[in-house]
Amino acid sequence: EVSPKDEVMVFDRPCKCGQCCACCQCCQQEMIVNNGTGRDQVGYIKQPFLGGGFSPKLQVMERDGDDPYCTIESDATCCIAGMCCDHTFRIKDHDGNEIGKIVKQKPSSFQEVATELASDSDVFAIEFNKDLDVNKKATLFGALYLIDYMFFENEGEANVDVVNQKVSYKLCDLYCCGCTCPCKISCGGKDSGDSN
């Protein structure tokens, strides 16, 4: 019997360089999934060399160095995050067959938009084959959290500068080879030049 206080899974995301080019080990995002005791590894998720090119990609395996048993690929090309649409990440087995998907759902009401802007709240859905091994399911949950960290932590970031009367809002991230660059819109602001 499992107590409500018992941990079921432990996710460990080692510290890596920021969202820079995924060309070396210190920049490739990864996550280790352990069972509830934290001692037994059940899965490993890693960003491949150059992060999938123009479309984000993750490899899922049992241990670092193993061959991936599935990959997670975004439907998006170059533009990721943003609150205007759903973002789908397809889970495919080693033969290229779709076995599930992770979807970051867009806000469906003004209240959900306000919640996402004012907090770190996001709504995700995950689907996978019913007969998938329990450790692989746990690893896919870890992948969901890694995707949230990599692409949706600063989604809809808004800055209001009252002193300079300027407002800026992050629309989305531009993605290339593991790098993410925010695409922002700004309005207002005092002129920096002298006025006569």
Side-chain angles (χ1 to χ4, degrees), residues 12 64 102 123 134 138 172-173 175 178:
D12 178 24
D64 187 15
I102 297 171
V123 178
V134 68
C172 65
D173 285 320
Y175 182 88

Side-chain angles (χ1 to χ4, degrees), residues 60-79:
V60 183
M61 54 200 86
E62 290 181 16
R63 301 243 183 286
D64 187 15
D66 288 356
D67 289 333
Y69 58 78
C70 70
T71 57
I72 301 173
E73 300 176 42
S74 173
D75 282 353
T77 303
C78 291
C79 182

Side-chain angles (χ1 to χ4, degrees), residues 173-192:
D173 285 320
L174 302 178
Y175 182 88
C176 180
C177 300
C179 297
T180 55
C181 299
C183 181
K184 295 183 177 186
I185 186 169
S186 298
C187 62
K190 292 183 179 179
D191 290 338
S192 59

Side-chain angles (χ1 to χ4, degrees), residues 34-51:
N34 294 305
N35 68 1
T37 66
R39 285 177 259 167
D40 297 321
Q41 183 174 330
V42 297
Y44 180 77
I45 306 117
K46 184 175 184 175
Q47 191 177 27
F49 179 73
L50 296 179

